[in-house]
Amino acid sequence: MAEGVHRRRPGNQRIFLNFSLLLCFGECVSAQLRYSVPEEMKEGSVVGNIAKDLGLDVSTLVDRRFRVVSGSKDAFFQANQNNGVLYVQKKIDREELCDETSACLINLKIAVENPLEIHYIVVEITDINDNVPTFFETHQHFEIAEHTPIGTSFQLHAARDQDTTSNSIRYYKLSPNENFETDTKNSDDDKIPFLVLKKALDREQTEDYRLHLTAVDGGNPAKTGSLNITVKVLDINDNRPVFTQNTYSTTLQENAPLGTIVITVNATDRDQGSNGEIIYSLGNRVNDKLQKLFYINSLTGEIIVKGLLDFEVRDSYEIDIQASDKGSPPLTADKSVIVRIVDINDNAPEIEVTSFSSSIPEDSRPGTTVALISVSDLDSGVNGNVLCSLPVDIPFKLIPSSQKNVYSLVTASLLDREMRYEYDVTLVAKDEGQPPLSSVKTITVTVSDVNDNCPEFSLRPYMFYVTENNSPGASLFSVSASDRDQNENAIVSYQIWRDIGENIYSSLININSENGWIYALKSFDFETLKTFKFKVVATDSGTPPLTSNVTVNVFILDQNDNVPVILYPVSANGSDEGVEEIPRNVNAGHLVTKVRAYDADIGYNGWLLFSMQEVSDHTLFGLDRYTGQIRTLRSFTETDEAQHKLVILVKDNGNVSLSATATVIIKFVEPKEAFAASDIKSTVKEEEENNVTFYLIITLGSVSVLFVISIIVLIVMQCSKSTDYSSKYLQDTNYDGTLCHSIQYRSGDKRYMLVGPRMSVGPKVSDCLRIKRSFLTD
């Protein structure tokens, strides 16, 4: 409170400052006194005797300059130097000076000199009931409808009193009335009066009420203030609409068409006439979105679907409905209608590929992740349960993750780009709704190549036929290998396997490394080399490279480049001539001799035919064109000459036939010894002929067996395509040039013929068998 005094009296601050300077030059003595005086005391009223209370000598007060040196700026108090009394110099209004709730204190300083003493005085200003309660307005008007519920309160103007709490408003009282009473509520330090209806109003009985409210303070005696109250009873629609149900709720499918009646609400009003006519409307709290979905028939109370509903957007709605009568003023009733939306399966699952590797190597291990798949369905319940599947005929599978509806697409087995280089993986997501809905998404997975395939030759083994006397350097044939890999992994190069000891004929041929064409380094001679084989290695360009090899069997085909050679008669002095002596008494059919020859060629080129080029008597001797046997055609007569010359022509069956001639001189002898020798020789020859016949039968049987075995072997070799079969030639045998036979066989699209002579057991006969290729087509 001293601060308040200082704010009002700045002059006292200067006194206090001067007095403080004095304190620096002398000894200070201090004391404190407290006085209490009520406000509104008259000027000159004694507060207290300071000199007495401090024990000061009254006779010295003047000399010691007894005075008030600080205090209220308005100088509410002053000290008398003659008697030391502190008195009121100016009338004090506590409500103006201090706050209503706190103590009102004024701090004073009393100074005396010689010696200097400072005494502190606190004067408390106490409140007196000097203010009357007052209302902001002296009159207050209310319009209250009849049948307003009992207990309804109406706030009245509050009175104000500037006195302190003990002297401020204590209570309110209302003039006596059976319909109204007052109620007071405390708000901070104020008391707020309310007019409370304690009995129902009826305008037909009392239209106006005039009341008087009195505010009484706590003073003694108490002071009061009054407020005039006028209450006008309104004759209004006093029955509100009442809904027939306490709660309204319903369910509605989300696919409900526009115009569907959701529910019908009903309200009644006991009033009559317009006061009982009800109009329905959406409540004030219904927002614009809701108004676009529903509307209500104002007359029937039918709530009708106006917009498209979607369970996935919102699964329930609370619609505020207001029923209002046509009274004046109208009465309303509010009711909330709960509409629960029933989900239907109207959303197909959605498939999202969150991560995808469009190409994977074909050597990826099973379980390699290809893509991450997430599936979602906006429906709920079973309609939102989604099952994801893949076709069963692809090497992929779906593995569910720990997170719902998230899958990993992984490889289920080993991949092979050469069997299939691309997969269209069709993901099918199907929910469990009724009927179920599904979605399909196809992703293309490409299988990238790795070098996992060796080159493959088109044939295994290869069999080629080359005519002898070929030109060196000319291309003979080609091999071809393909690689099921692609790009660099599929580029194939060729080379001859140069392994010493296995391909001893590799010096005969060479190969083009790019296209596989094989060409001869030398000219081939069938009579020297009939067949050989070698290996070709095919290597791809992958990293690391892969190789394969194939065996190539080469058969040299004979050409008619050899002249028949006469074996008998024995060549002497460059001439093939022989002399045969026979007795003159031989019968017809007697074997005179046999011309024997051979040809180094084979087949038709080595098939020899015999003919008489010159003969002295065509009636006497005959020549077998196949065997070369010379026999008598008749018995000799006395007129036949004793010596006959036969020139035998031996030629082969080549396209350009080659031939040789032999001369046989036949002499007839007549001595008895000759006859005896002739008989013995004839007997030996007959026995020899018999033996030849026997051996011929055995030989033909053996050849037939060999023929059947050869056919079986060739068939087995052709069916199995073994990598190590090749044509084998029979070893040369003694050839008598008398009988040829042939065997035909097939290899691929070509037909071959084995042609050989009849076999003989003569001591000077060299038998042989050759192979001839015949270009016969089917």
Side-chain angles (χ1 to χ4, degrees), residues 16 31 49 68 150 163 240 248 413 458 487 527 576 636 659:
F16 177 74
N49 193 325
V68 177
I150 296 174
D163 292 328
R240 296 177 180 273
Y248 286 94
S413 60
S458 57
N487 300 329
E527 287 69 34
D576 296 331
F636 292 102
S659 63

Side-chain angles (χ1 to χ4, degrees), residues 482-690:
S482 61
D483 196 312
R484 294 193 298 165
D485 295 322
Q486 64 178 178
N487 300 329
E488 294 294 327
N489 297 331
I491 299 176
V492 179
S493 60
Y494 305 89
Q495 61 181 349
I496 302 294
W497 189 322
R498 303 292 181 180
D499 188 12
I500 298 176
E502 184 169 350
N503 288 300
I504 60 176
Y505 300 107
S506 60
S507 61
L508 302 177
I509 45 89
N510 206 347
I511 190 169
N512 188 314
S513 63
E514 295 182 357
N515 55 29
W517 273 98
I518 297 173
Y519 55 92
L521 298 177
K522 298 179 180 179
S523 179
F524 300 137
D525 182 9
F526 173 81
E527 287 69 34
T528 303
L529 178 65
K530 297 178 175 59
T531 180
F532 66 92
K533 64 180 178 179
F534 61 94
K535 287 185 178 181
V536 175
V537 178
T539 305
D540 61 28
S541 299
T543 303
L546 300 178
T547 63
S548 63
N549 62 78
V550 67
T551 299
V552 180
N553 295 293
V554 180
F555 298 96
I556 309 300
L557 298 180
D558 182 45
Q559 284 188 328
N560 193 23
D561 58 347
N562 289 279
V563 177
V565 176
I566 305 298
L567 298 178
Y568 181 82
V570 178
S571 176
N573 298 323
S575 174
D576 296 331
E577 182 177 311
V579 178
E580 291 288 341
E581 294 182 351
I582 59 174
R584 297 181 62 89
N585 60 349
V586 294
N587 296 323
H590 175 75
L591 177 63
V592 177
T593 187
K594 176 188 286 187
V595 177
R596 292 179 174 83
Y598 83 95
D599 194 320
D601 298 321
I602 67 167
Y604 287 103
N605 295 329
W607 188 357
L608 302 181
L609 295 178
F610 302 87
S611 63
M612 288 188 183
Q613 191 174 21
E614 295 182 16
V615 60
S616 57
D617 189 348
H618 290 284
T619 64
L620 185 57
F621 298 101
L623 175 65
D624 190 317
R625 65 177 300 184
Y626 298 110
T627 64
Q629 292 179 349
I630 301 174
R631 293 180 180 272
T632 58
L633 298 177
R634 60 180 175 80
S635 299
F636 292 102
T637 63
E638 294 295 332
T639 62
D640 291 328
E641 294 181 2
Q643 180 174 318
H644 295 270
K645 179 181 178 181
L646 281 72
V647 177
I648 308 301
L649 176 66
V650 181
K651 70 175 182 177
D652 57 29
N653 280 275
N655 289 331
V656 178
S657 180
L658 300 178
S659 63
T661 59
T663 301
V664 178
I665 303 298
I666 302 175
K667 294 180 180 181
F668 295 102
V669 295
E670 295 183 356
K672 295 181 178 180
E673 294 83 1
F675 283 108
S678 175
D679 290 339
I680 295 172
K681 186 175 180 180
S682 176
T683 302
V684 172
K685 287 186 176 180
E686 288 179 359
E687 291 178 356
E688 181 180 348
E689 291 294 332
N690 291 333

Side-chain angles (χ1 to χ4, degrees), residues 218-231:
N220 188 13
K223 294 183 178 182
T224 61
S226 61
L227 174 67
N228 295 318
I229 301 172
T230 300
V231 177

